[in-house]
Amino acid sequence: MKALKPWFACCLSMLMLFFTVIPLASAAQDNQKVITVGLSADFPPYEFHKKIDGTDQIVGSDVEIAKRIAADMGATLQIQDIPFDSLLPALNSGRIDMIISGMTPTEERRQNVDFSESYYISRQVIMTRVEDKDKYTSVDSLQGASIGVQKGSIQEDIAKDIKDAKLTSVDRIADIVLSLESGRVDAAVMEGPVAEGQVANHDDLAITSATIPDSDTEMAIAVKKGNAELLGHINGTLAKLKQGDQVKKFVQDATALNSGEQQKSNNIFTIFWDYRQYYMKGIQYTLLLSAAGVLFGFLIGLVVSLFRLSNVGILRWIAVTYTEILRGTPMLVQLLIIHYGIAQTFHIEFSVLESGIITLSINSSAYLAEIFRAGIQGVDRGQMEAARSLGMSHGMTMRSIIIPQAVKSVLPAIGNEFVVIIKESSIVSFIGVADLMFQAQAVRSITYSALNPLLIAAAIYFIMTFVLSKLLGMLERRWSVSDKR
């Protein structure tokens, strides 16, 4: 099995690259003064994706405010696009310095973070399908209705106060629109300017005449509790902006910018061709994450399987505990613990890409460990005894005889794990990794097409996994032929 040696060398090289080059690159950036803002870029006109000069950019009124704050501080602005309900964990873990995402400073939120002075006041409206516009003319008429809201938002709190309302809380505005159009919800509580943008791009949606009492809400910037210095800089910039009524102008300019982005055609082929660069970039990240996850998972899983087969009790206990915990907990929970929990508790910060690779690697290793254990136990015991009788050590026998045969026998299962990782890698978009799913969400927010960008992503995932399955099948047949010689 000499062919396995270069494969192991490749794994070790990537492992060294991951733990040396990437941290060094991150350390080089630490010399620059950077202010990192977190936002959920599916909230036009406040923050949204837009294709400008052929490249994807995050724009909007909140982004302009963030630029002014960074400029006044003499810092470089860095933007992280994160789902709205993950913004507060990202702030408290130190991943971002501030949140500018149309956030309302509620009393509950004030217990966990500090807020700046308010910079804008918005109204809340009820959006529904055109045929139901006259059906929901008041808040009372929504009693018992199913209502779509963005998870963790002030709109969710408003909807909770509607008697007998059935709430559907989702991460993104595009998902609310899709729920409305598909009939899964009857109405949606939404920010006024955000709803206007959706209605302008969806002929089947309308804003009702219903008035939500006391629904005018303030927007403020959130910072980590006790960060008085940053809060002072922010309030200073906001005071200057409000004095010249510039925030209102930012909103108007962003609304005009967004209104010109309506997709000429929602045809699935047109969307794919116009935004093919988004999908290509997403494919690159998805393949990188999947390959690294399986490679590192292979190495870790092999070690864990050897621990599981060891005669040393403590090593067996470690291996069993490791595999049971990782197989018994959701990958999303593992991702959040690694990305936010470790940063907040131990002050060890991984980049979004590093967190994604680590999560996929350890999760994959737990399953690969059991696959390897089955493969090793499937090798005839007589081969170990024969090798030992020839003077070979236990380690040499495992390395040269047992493990190569075990890997060959479980190759189909390893290939299946690779296919699974490609699909499950989409979960890393939750922390802002620009993988295929993240790019599909960006296209949804740009084109106002809730479904077609997802269908394109699904087709690409299928093509990747189908091609990979065929390649693994060819490799398996090639190795089978060598066994017959």
Side-chain angles (χ1 to χ4, degrees):
M1 279 296 141
K2 292 182 179 179
L4 283 177
K5 293 182 179 179
W7 203 86
F8 276 109
C10 179
C11 292
L12 290 172
S13 299
M14 288 191 67
L15 191 64
M16 292 174 63
L17 176 68
F18 180 71
F19 285 107
T20 56
V21 177
I22 293 178
L24 286 174
S26 299
Q29 294 179 351
D30 290 341
N31 295 326
Q32 303 174 0
K33 187 176 181 181
V34 177
I35 186 77
T36 305
V37 60
L39 46 77
S40 180
D42 65 334
F43 205 52
Y46 306 114
E47 51 264 348
F48 57 98
H49 287 268
K50 183 175 175 66
K51 192 175 182 180
I52 300 176
D53 297 330
T55 60
D56 175 42
Q57 295 184 30
I58 297 177
V59 296
S61 58
D62 284 346
V63 176
E64 293 302 315
I65 294 172
K67 289 179 180 178
R68 292 294 183 91
I69 294 171
D72 288 348
M73 293 178 63
T76 301
L77 180 66
Q78 188 176 78
I79 298 175
Q80 286 195 17
D81 184 6
I82 305 171
F84 189 82
D85 61 335
S86 294
L87 287 171
L88 289 176
L91 180 64
N92 287 324
S93 65
R95 293 282 176 185
I96 56 179
D97 299 308
M98 58 182 177
I99 299 172
I100 307 181
S101 192
M103 183 168 283
T104 302
T106 62
E107 289 303 318
E108 184 180 3
R109 289 170 178 166
R110 287 185 185 277
Q111 295 176 9
N112 299 298
V113 297
D114 289 334
F115 280 98
S116 69
E117 298 294 330
S118 65
Y119 62 86
Y120 192 71
I121 296 177
S122 64
R123 62 187 178 90
Q124 311 300 321
V125 299
I126 303 297
M127 186 173 74
T128 187
R129 293 178 290 277
V130 171
E131 61 267 25
D132 295 331
K133 181 179 179 181
D134 297 328
K135 181 179 179 180
Y136 302 110
T137 57
S138 65
V139 174
D140 291 337
S141 64
L142 290 168
Q143 290 185 15
S146 57
I147 301 176
V149 291
Q150 189 173 32
K151 191 187 301 181
S153 67
I154 191 65
Q155 291 81 29
E156 186 177 39
D157 294 334
I158 292 173
K160 286 178 180 178
D161 292 334
I162 300 175
K163 187 177 180 180
D164 298 328
K166 304 176 186 68
L167 267 62
T168 299
S169 301
V170 296
D171 289 327
R172 295 182 176 272
I173 298 295
D175 294 324
I176 299 176
V177 173
L178 186 58
S179 297
L180 260 178
E181 292 183 320
S182 62
R184 292 186 177 275
V185 297
D186 301 313
V189 181
M190 199 171 291
E191 198 90 31
V194 177
E196 290 167 4
Q198 296 295 335
V199 169
N201 289 277
H202 292 87
D203 296 335
D204 55 344
L205 300 180
I207 298 174
T208 72
S209 59
T211 301
I212 303 175
D214 302 321
S215 66
D216 287 351
T217 54
E218 297 180 340
M219 293 182 179
I221 300 171
V223 300
K224 196 170 183 179
K225 203 79 173 173
N227 194 346
E229 182 181 357
L230 178 58
L231 198 61
H233 286 296
I234 292 172
N235 283 330
T237 300
L238 292 180
K240 290 189 291 185
L241 292 176
K242 288 191 290 185
Q243 188 176 10
D245 207 18
Q246 294 186 61
V247 175
K248 185 177 180 180
K249 185 177 184 303
F250 288 160
V251 175
Q252 292 172 345
D253 291 345
T255 301
L257 183 66
N258 181 49
S259 63
E261 187 55 63
Q262 184 173 2
Q263 181 72 17
K264 294 178 181 179
S265 171
N266 277 333
N267 181 283
I268 191 170
F269 300 105
T270 303
I271 292 176
F272 171 71
W273 184 253
D274 289 346
Y275 297 94
R276 60 190 181 278
Q277 293 180 348
Y278 286 67
Y279 289 105
M280 288 303 299
K281 182 179 179 181
I283 290 171
Q284 293 171 9
Y285 272 100
T286 295
L287 291 178
L288 171 62
L289 286 162
S290 304
V294 170
L295 288 176
F296 298 151
F298 183 99
L299 294 174
I300 300 170
L302 184 57
V303 172
V304 173
S305 67
L306 294 176
F307 279 14
R308 184 76 182 267
L309 296 171
S310 173
N311 293 324
V312 182
I314 186 65
L315 294 182
R316 290 199 306 273
W317 181 85
I318 291 173
V320 170
T321 303
Y322 179 87
T323 54
E324 291 300 325
I325 289 176
L326 289 176
R327 292 196 303 168
T329 55
M331 188 186 294
L332 177 58
V333 175
Q334 297 166 12
L335 177 66
L336 296 179
I337 290 174
I338 289 171
H339 191 65
Y340 297 127
I342 292 179
Q344 187 170 355
T345 306
F346 302 104
H347 305 291
I348 301 174
E349 295 187 8
F350 298 110
S351 69
V352 290
L353 184 60
E354 291 168 348
S355 295
I357 291 176
I358 291 171
T359 302
L360 292 173
S361 298
I362 64 173
N363 185 273
S364 175
S365 69
Y367 294 92
L368 288 172
E370 292 300 286
I371 293 172
F372 289 138
R373 183 167 71 93
I376 292 172
Q377 290 178 329
V379 177
D380 192 341
R381 279 190 167 187
Q383 297 196 40
M384 172 65 77
E385 296 172 357
R388 296 303 298 274
S389 67
L390 293 174
M392 296 179 67
S393 66
H394 183 275
M396 183 181 296
T397 303
M398 291 293 293
R399 185 172 60 253
S400 303
I401 298 176
I402 306 299
I403 291 179
Q405 292 185 72
V407 171
K408 179 185 285 189
S409 66
V410 299
L411 181 62
I414 296 174
N416 182 65
E417 182 63 21
F418 199 174
V419 171
V420 170
I421 284 294
I422 286 180
K423 294 183 293 183
E424 291 187 344
S425 66
S426 62
I427 204 170
V428 301
S429 64
F430 197 84
I431 61 173
V433 179
D435 72 325
L436 180 56
M437 193 62 191
F438 181 94
Q439 299 295 346
Q441 296 286 15
V443 174
R444 291 177 79 193
S445 66
I446 294 172
T447 61
Y448 286 93
S449 177
L451 182 60
N452 285 342
L454 295 181
L455 294 178
I456 295 170
I460 294 173
Y461 275 118
F462 172 77
I463 292 171
M464 288 192 295
T465 55
F466 181 79
V467 171
L468 177 62
S469 298
K470 293 301 180 183
L471 291 175
L472 289 170
M474 292 171 57
L475 179 61
E476 183 182 351
R477 288 192 294 273
R478 181 178 178 183
W479 280 17
S480 298
V481 169
S482 67
D483 285 341
K484 298 176 182 178
R485 292 177 179 175

